[in-house]
Structures are given as C-alpha cells and as structure tokens.
Amino acid sequence: QVQLVESGGGLVQAGGSLRLSCAASGSIFSNAVMDWYRQAPGKQRELVASITSGGSTNYADSVKGRFTISRDYAKKTVHLQMNSLKSEDTAVYYCKLGVVAWGLEVWGQGTQVTVSS
C-alpha cells in the first residue's frame, strides 16, 4: 500500500533550475531510503541522488554540487532541487522508495525534465 506521485518536471534552459517532488502514501516513508534515478533515451538508468531514513545524502559525481535531495517527514515528500542544469541532465526522472530489510521497492511514474541548449 505504497504509492509515489512525482511532479515538477518541465522544460528549462541550460543554467536554469527545477525542483522535483515525490509524494509518498503509506506508513513506511520514514523508514525508507529515497532515491532519484534518471534515464535518458538510449542510456541506462542512473542513480543521481539518495537520502537515507536518517537524512544522510549521496550524489552521483555528475550532479554533485548542483543537485540537492531532501525529505520532509511530515509531508512524506522527497525533493530534488536541480540548479545549473545542463543539456546532459535531460531525462525522465524517477523517484524510488526502498526498504532493503523488507525487500520492498516502489517506483514513481516518472517526470520528464528537458534542458534546452
């Protein structure tokens, strides 16, 4: 009974910013690792950012210093603030909730981010 709904994608010029949001239903959000993945046409899915249940964060080298992942426990929402966007950031971005100990993995529907040169 977990569902993720993503929003915030769109079209932006290089150098601009977008903020993605992922709202979770259910009662396990606070115990879960939340990830943002992206997949561009013709490329493999890539992990771009993670945040643990305790708030520790990790980023792919390609986005480090430009993207920030955060979570709001009260609203059961994870955000990805994307600054200084590049054309290489163009992809469908997917939110994922995971609880490894339970073997649970839930994906959002994806939201398109397009960065024009």
PDB file of all heavy atoms in Angstrom, residues 4-9 20-22 36-39 91-96 107-113:
ATOM      1  N   LEU A   4       3.899   6.341  -5.043  1.00  0.00           N
ATOM      2  CA  LEU A   4       4.700   7.539  -5.210  1.00  0.00           C
ATOM      3  C   LEU A   4       4.168   8.341  -6.383  1.00  0.00           C
ATOM      4  O   LEU A   4       3.962   7.794  -7.469  1.00  0.00           O
ATOM      5  CB  LEU A   4       6.165   7.181  -5.463  1.00  0.00           C
ATOM      6  CG  LEU A   4       6.859   6.299  -4.418  1.00  0.00           C
ATOM      7  CD1 LEU A   4       8.289   6.010  -4.861  1.00  0.00           C
ATOM      8  CD2 LEU A   4       6.849   6.976  -3.056  1.00  0.00           C
ATOM      9  N   VAL A   5       3.966   9.632  -6.175  1.00  0.00           N
ATOM     10  CA  VAL A   5       3.485  10.526  -7.213  1.00  0.00           C
ATOM     11  C   VAL A   5       4.496  11.644  -7.392  1.00  0.00           C
ATOM     12  O   VAL A   5       4.766  12.402  -6.457  1.00  0.00           O
ATOM     13  CB  VAL A   5       2.104  11.108  -6.873  1.00  0.00           C
ATOM     14  CG1 VAL A   5       1.658  12.064  -7.977  1.00  0.00           C
ATOM     15  CG2 VAL A   5       1.087   9.992  -6.698  1.00  0.00           C
ATOM     16  N   GLU A   6       5.045  11.743  -8.607  1.00  0.00           N
ATOM     17  CA  GLU A   6       6.079  12.713  -8.904  1.00  0.00           C
ATOM     18  C   GLU A   6       5.504  13.923  -9.625  1.00  0.00           C
ATOM     19  O   GLU A   6       4.533  13.809 -10.373  1.00  0.00           O
ATOM     20  CB  GLU A   6       7.171  12.082  -9.770  1.00  0.00           C
ATOM     21  CG  GLU A   6       7.827  10.870  -9.132  1.00  0.00           C
ATOM     22  CD  GLU A   6       8.757  10.157 -10.074  1.00  0.00           C
ATOM     23  OE1 GLU A   6       9.334  10.819 -10.962  1.00  0.00           O
ATOM     24  OE2 GLU A   6       8.910   8.932  -9.932  1.00  0.00           O
ATOM     25  N   SER A   7       6.154  15.061  -9.422  1.00  0.00           N
ATOM     26  CA  SER A   7       5.758  16.287 -10.093  1.00  0.00           C
ATOM     27  C   SER A   7       6.952  17.225 -10.169  1.00  0.00           C
ATOM     28  O   SER A   7       7.970  17.009  -9.522  1.00  0.00           O
ATOM     29  CB  SER A   7       4.597  16.963  -9.355  1.00  0.00           C
ATOM     30  OG  SER A   7       4.969  17.316  -8.036  1.00  0.00           O
ATOM     31  N   GLY A   8       6.818  18.274 -10.966  1.00  0.00           N
ATOM     32  CA  GLY A   8       7.830  19.315 -11.028  1.00  0.00           C
ATOM     33  C   GLY A   8       8.683  19.326 -12.271  1.00  0.00           C
ATOM     34  O   GLY A   8       9.480  20.256 -12.464  1.00  0.00           O
ATOM     35  N   GLY A   9       8.553  18.324 -13.115  1.00  0.00           N
ATOM     36  CA  GLY A   9       9.331  18.298 -14.336  1.00  0.00           C
ATOM     37  C   GLY A   9       8.859  19.351 -15.322  1.00  0.00           C
ATOM     38  O   GLY A   9       7.807  19.961 -15.161  1.00  0.00           O
ATOM     39  N   LEU A  20      11.977  18.992  -8.317  1.00  0.00           N
ATOM     40  CA  LEU A  20      11.121  17.828  -8.424  1.00  0.00           C
ATOM     41  C   LEU A  20      10.613  17.436  -7.043  1.00  0.00           C
ATOM     42  O   LEU A  20      11.319  17.578  -6.052  1.00  0.00           O
ATOM     43  CB  LEU A  20      11.872  16.646  -9.038  1.00  0.00           C
ATOM     44  CG  LEU A  20      12.546  16.873 -10.387  1.00  0.00           C
ATOM     45  CD1 LEU A  20      13.164  15.571 -10.883  1.00  0.00           C
ATOM     46  CD2 LEU A  20      11.565  17.432 -11.410  1.00  0.00           C
ATOM     47  N   SER A  21       9.396  16.923  -7.008  1.00  0.00           N
ATOM     48  CA  SER A  21       8.808  16.457  -5.769  1.00  0.00           C
ATOM     49  C   SER A  21       8.273  15.053  -5.952  1.00  0.00           C
ATOM     50  O   SER A  21       7.828  14.685  -7.035  1.00  0.00           O
ATOM     51  CB  SER A  21       7.676  17.380  -5.316  1.00  0.00           C
ATOM     52  OG  SER A  21       8.156  18.678  -5.043  1.00  0.00           O
ATOM     53  N   CYS A  22       8.305  14.279  -4.888  1.00  0.00           N
ATOM     54  CA  CYS A  22       7.808  12.917  -4.888  1.00  0.00           C
ATOM     55  C   CYS A  22       7.056  12.704  -3.590  1.00  0.00           C
ATOM     56  O   CYS A  22       7.663  12.665  -2.514  1.00  0.00           O
ATOM     57  CB  CYS A  22       8.966  11.926  -5.027  1.00  0.00           C
ATOM     58  SG  CYS A  22       8.508  10.191  -4.896  1.00  0.00           S
ATOM     59  N   TRP A  36      16.512   9.217  -6.243  1.00  0.00           N
ATOM     60  CA  TRP A  36      16.130   9.746  -7.543  1.00  0.00           C
ATOM     61  C   TRP A  36      17.016   9.100  -8.598  1.00  0.00           C
ATOM     62  O   TRP A  36      18.248   9.130  -8.484  1.00  0.00           O
ATOM     63  CB  TRP A  36      16.271  11.266  -7.614  1.00  0.00           C
ATOM     64  CG  TRP A  36      15.198  12.015  -6.899  1.00  0.00           C
ATOM     65  CD1 TRP A  36      15.266  12.562  -5.663  1.00  0.00           C
ATOM     66  CD2 TRP A  36      13.893  12.315  -7.405  1.00  0.00           C
ATOM     67  NE1 TRP A  36      14.088  13.188  -5.351  1.00  0.00           N
ATOM     68  CE2 TRP A  36      13.228  13.050  -6.400  1.00  0.00           C
ATOM     69  CE3 TRP A  36      13.225  12.037  -8.602  1.00  0.00           C
ATOM     70  CZ2 TRP A  36      11.911  13.514  -6.560  1.00  0.00           C
ATOM     71  CZ3 TRP A  36      11.922  12.499  -8.753  1.00  0.00           C
ATOM     72  CH2 TRP A  36      11.284  13.222  -7.739  1.00  0.00           C
ATOM     73  N   TYR A  37      16.384   8.518  -9.586  1.00  0.00           N
ATOM     74  CA  TYR A  37      17.055   7.975 -10.759  1.00  0.00           C
ATOM     75  C   TYR A  37      16.664   8.788 -11.976  1.00  0.00           C
ATOM     76  O   TYR A  37      15.664   9.504 -11.974  1.00  0.00           O
ATOM     77  CB  TYR A  37      16.653   6.513 -11.001  1.00  0.00           C
ATOM     78  CG  TYR A  37      17.256   5.498 -10.066  1.00  0.00           C
ATOM     79  CD1 TYR A  37      16.743   5.298  -8.785  1.00  0.00           C
ATOM     80  CD2 TYR A  37      18.328   4.704 -10.476  1.00  0.00           C
ATOM     81  CE1 TYR A  37      17.288   4.350  -7.937  1.00  0.00           C
ATOM     82  CE2 TYR A  37      18.872   3.752  -9.633  1.00  0.00           C
ATOM     83  CZ  TYR A  37      18.346   3.577  -8.366  1.00  0.00           C
ATOM     84  OH  TYR A  37      18.884   2.627  -7.532  1.00  0.00           O
ATOM     85  N   ARG A  38      17.450   8.651 -13.023  1.00  0.00           N
ATOM     86  CA  ARG A  38      17.062   9.239 -14.291  1.00  0.00           C
ATOM     87  C   ARG A  38      17.469   8.311 -15.428  1.00  0.00           C
ATOM     88  O   ARG A  38      18.402   7.528 -15.311  1.00  0.00           O
ATOM     89  CB  ARG A  38      17.674  10.626 -14.489  1.00  0.00           C
ATOM     90  CG  ARG A  38      19.190  10.643 -14.646  1.00  0.00           C
ATOM     91  CD  ARG A  38      19.697  12.084 -14.686  1.00  0.00           C
ATOM     92  NE  ARG A  38      21.138  12.151 -14.864  1.00  0.00           N
ATOM     93  CZ  ARG A  38      21.845  13.265 -14.785  1.00  0.00           C
ATOM     94  NH1 ARG A  38      21.237  14.426 -14.526  1.00  0.00           N
ATOM     95  NH2 ARG A  38      23.155  13.237 -14.966  1.00  0.00           N
ATOM     96  N   GLN A  39      16.749   8.433 -16.521  1.00  0.00           N
ATOM     97  CA  GLN A  39      17.044   7.640 -17.700  1.00  0.00           C
ATOM     98  C   GLN A  39      16.809   8.488 -18.940  1.00  0.00           C
ATOM     99  O   GLN A  39      15.697   8.963 -19.175  1.00  0.00           O
ATOM    100  CB  GLN A  39      16.193   6.377 -17.757  1.00  0.00           C
ATOM    101  CG  GLN A  39      16.588   5.433 -18.875  1.00  0.00           C
ATOM    102  CD  GLN A  39      16.011   4.045 -18.693  1.00  0.00           C
ATOM    103  OE1 GLN A  39      14.965   3.879 -18.066  1.00  0.00           O
ATOM    104  NE2 GLN A  39      16.690   3.047 -19.225  1.00  0.00           N
ATOM    105  N   ALA A  91      16.293  13.971 -19.133  1.00  0.00           N
ATOM    106  CA  ALA A  91      15.957  12.577 -18.871  1.00  0.00           C
ATOM    107  C   ALA A  91      14.582  12.517 -18.235  1.00  0.00           C
ATOM    108  O   ALA A  91      14.013  13.539 -17.841  1.00  0.00           O
ATOM    109  CB  ALA A  91      16.987  11.933 -17.940  1.00  0.00           C
ATOM    110  N   VAL A  92      14.066  11.307 -18.135  1.00  0.00           N
ATOM    111  CA  VAL A  92      12.923  11.056 -17.281  1.00  0.00           C
ATOM    112  C   VAL A  92      13.460  10.744 -15.890  1.00  0.00           C
ATOM    113  O   VAL A  92      14.317   9.870 -15.733  1.00  0.00           O
ATOM    114  CB  VAL A  92      12.055   9.893 -17.790  1.00  0.00           C
ATOM    115  CG1 VAL A  92      10.912   9.610 -16.822  1.00  0.00           C
ATOM    116  CG2 VAL A  92      11.503  10.216 -19.172  1.00  0.00           C
ATOM    117  N   TYR A  93      12.967  11.449 -14.900  1.00  0.00           N
ATOM    118  CA  TYR A  93      13.422  11.286 -13.529  1.00  0.00           C
ATOM    119  C   TYR A  93      12.407  10.469 -12.746  1.00  0.00           C
ATOM    120  O   TYR A  93      11.210  10.761 -12.764  1.00  0.00           O
ATOM    121  CB  TYR A  93      13.631  12.648 -12.867  1.00  0.00           C
ATOM    122  CG  TYR A  93      14.902  13.324 -13.318  1.00  0.00           C
ATOM    123  CD1 TYR A  93      15.016  13.846 -14.596  1.00  0.00           C
ATOM    124  CD2 TYR A  93      16.000  13.424 -12.467  1.00  0.00           C
ATOM    125  CE1 TYR A  93      16.188  14.440 -15.033  1.00  0.00           C
ATOM    126  CE2 TYR A  93      17.171  14.021 -12.883  1.00  0.00           C
ATOM    127  CZ  TYR A  93      17.264  14.532 -14.166  1.00  0.00           C
ATOM    128  OH  TYR A  93      18.430  15.128 -14.583  1.00  0.00           O
ATOM    129  N   TYR A  94      12.909   9.459 -12.043  1.00  0.00           N
ATOM    130  CA  TYR A  94      12.070   8.549 -11.288  1.00  0.00           C
ATOM    131  C   TYR A  94      12.426   8.587  -9.810  1.00  0.00           C
ATOM    132  O   TYR A  94      13.601   8.497  -9.446  1.00  0.00           O
ATOM    133  CB  TYR A  94      12.241   7.107 -11.773  1.00  0.00           C
ATOM    134  CG  TYR A  94      11.810   6.865 -13.197  1.00  0.00           C
ATOM    135  CD1 TYR A  94      12.721   6.953 -14.236  1.00  0.00           C
ATOM    136  CD2 TYR A  94      10.497   6.530 -13.489  1.00  0.00           C
ATOM    137  CE1 TYR A  94      12.336   6.719 -15.541  1.00  0.00           C
ATOM    138  CE2 TYR A  94      10.100   6.294 -14.790  1.00  0.00           C
ATOM    139  CZ  TYR A  94      11.019   6.391 -15.809  1.00  0.00           C
ATOM    140  OH  TYR A  94      10.633   6.156 -17.103  1.00  0.00           O
ATOM    141  N   CYS A  95      11.421   8.680  -8.979  1.00  0.00           N
ATOM    142  CA  CYS A  95      11.578   8.561  -7.542  1.00  0.00           C
ATOM    143  C   CYS A  95      11.435   7.096  -7.146  1.00  0.00           C
ATOM    144  O   CYS A  95      10.602   6.373  -7.693  1.00  0.00           O
ATOM    145  CB  CYS A  95      10.509   9.414  -6.853  1.00  0.00           C
ATOM    146  SG  CYS A  95      10.487   9.331  -5.066  1.00  0.00           S
ATOM    147  N   LYS A  96      12.250   6.648  -6.219  1.00  0.00           N
ATOM    148  CA  LYS A  96      12.161   5.280  -5.723  1.00  0.00           C
ATOM    149  C   LYS A  96      12.221   5.249  -4.210  1.00  0.00           C
ATOM    150  O   LYS A  96      13.057   5.912  -3.591  1.00  0.00           O
ATOM    151  CB  LYS A  96      13.293   4.416  -6.290  1.00  0.00           C
ATOM    152  CG  LYS A  96      13.114   2.930  -5.993  1.00  0.00           C
ATOM    153  CD  LYS A  96      14.348   2.112  -6.347  1.00  0.00           C
ATOM    154  CE  LYS A  96      15.383   2.211  -5.251  1.00  0.00           C
ATOM    155  NZ  LYS A  96      16.529   1.280  -5.484  1.00  0.00           N
ATOM    156  N   TRP A 107       8.435   2.387  -7.179  1.00  0.00           N
ATOM    157  CA  TRP A 107       8.848   3.418  -8.127  1.00  0.00           C
ATOM    158  C   TRP A 107       7.710   4.373  -8.436  1.00  0.00           C
ATOM    159  O   TRP A 107       6.547   3.982  -8.509  1.00  0.00           O
ATOM    160  CB  TRP A 107       9.308   2.782  -9.441  1.00  0.00           C
ATOM    161  CG  TRP A 107      10.580   2.009  -9.329  1.00  0.00           C
ATOM    162  CD1 TRP A 107      10.721   0.720  -8.905  1.00  0.00           C
ATOM    163  CD2 TRP A 107      11.892   2.469  -9.655  1.00  0.00           C
ATOM    164  NE1 TRP A 107      12.055   0.350  -8.950  1.00  0.00           N
ATOM    165  CE2 TRP A 107      12.789   1.405  -9.407  1.00  0.00           C
ATOM    166  CE3 TRP A 107      12.395   3.681 -10.138  1.00  0.00           C
ATOM    167  CZ2 TRP A 107      14.159   1.518  -9.625  1.00  0.00           C
ATOM    168  CZ3 TRP A 107      13.756   3.798 -10.353  1.00  0.00           C
ATOM    169  CH2 TRP A 107      14.621   2.716 -10.097  1.00  0.00           C
ATOM    170  N   GLY A 108       8.070   5.635  -8.632  1.00  0.00           N
ATOM    171  CA  GLY A 108       7.121   6.600  -9.133  1.00  0.00           C
ATOM    172  C   GLY A 108       6.937   6.456 -10.627  1.00  0.00           C
ATOM    173  O   GLY A 108       7.607   5.655 -11.291  1.00  0.00           O
ATOM    174  N   GLN A 109       6.023   7.242 -11.175  1.00  0.00           N
ATOM    175  CA  GLN A 109       5.671   7.112 -12.593  1.00  0.00           C
ATOM    176  C   GLN A 109       6.665   7.800 -13.525  1.00  0.00           C
ATOM    177  O   GLN A 109       6.641   7.552 -14.733  1.00  0.00           O
ATOM    178  CB  GLN A 109       4.267   7.689 -12.833  1.00  0.00           C
ATOM    179  CG  GLN A 109       4.194   9.203 -13.011  1.00  0.00           C
ATOM    180  CD  GLN A 109       4.252   9.992 -11.713  1.00  0.00           C
ATOM    181  OE1 GLN A 109       4.420   9.445 -10.637  1.00  0.00           O
ATOM    182  NE2 GLN A 109       4.093  11.310 -11.826  1.00  0.00           N
ATOM    183  N   GLY A 110       7.514   8.633 -12.988  1.00  0.00           N
ATOM    184  CA  GLY A 110       8.482   9.368 -13.783  1.00  0.00           C
ATOM    185  C   GLY A 110       7.980  10.737 -14.180  1.00  0.00           C
ATOM    186  O   GLY A 110       6.792  10.941 -14.410  1.00  0.00           O
ATOM    187  N   THR A 111       8.898  11.681 -14.262  1.00  0.00           N
ATOM    188  CA  THR A 111       8.573  13.022 -14.723  1.00  0.00           C
ATOM    189  C   THR A 111       9.679  13.493 -15.663  1.00  0.00           C
ATOM    190  O   THR A 111      10.868  13.320 -15.388  1.00  0.00           O
ATOM    191  CB  THR A 111       8.382  13.996 -13.538  1.00  0.00           C
ATOM    192  OG1 THR A 111       7.956  15.275 -14.015  1.00  0.00           O
ATOM    193  CG2 THR A 111       9.663  14.155 -12.724  1.00  0.00           C
ATOM    194  N   GLN A 112       9.278  14.074 -16.785  1.00  0.00           N
ATOM    195  CA  GLN A 112      10.228  14.465 -17.818  1.00  0.00           C
ATOM    196  C   GLN A 112      10.891  15.784 -17.480  1.00  0.00           C
ATOM    197  O   GLN A 112      10.219  16.767 -17.158  1.00  0.00           O
ATOM    198  CB  GLN A 112       9.519  14.581 -19.171  1.00  0.00           C
ATOM    199  CG  GLN A 112      10.409  15.073 -20.310  1.00  0.00           C
ATOM    200  CD  GLN A 112      11.436  14.055 -20.739  1.00  0.00           C
ATOM    201  OE1 GLN A 112      11.106  12.885 -20.941  1.00  0.00           O
ATOM    202  NE2 GLN A 112      12.691  14.488 -20.873  1.00  0.00           N
ATOM    203  N   VAL A 113      12.212  15.804 -17.567  1.00  0.00           N
ATOM    204  CA  VAL A 113      12.995  17.025 -17.449  1.00  0.00           C
ATOM    205  C   VAL A 113      13.733  17.229 -18.761  1.00  0.00           C
ATOM    206  O   VAL A 113      14.492  16.359 -19.187  1.00  0.00           O
ATOM    207  CB  VAL A 113      13.993  16.964 -16.280  1.00  0.00           C
ATOM    208  CG1 VAL A 113      14.934  18.173 -16.310  1.00  0.00           C
ATOM    209  CG2 VAL A 113      13.257  16.890 -14.958  1.00  0.00           C
TER     210      VAL A 113
END
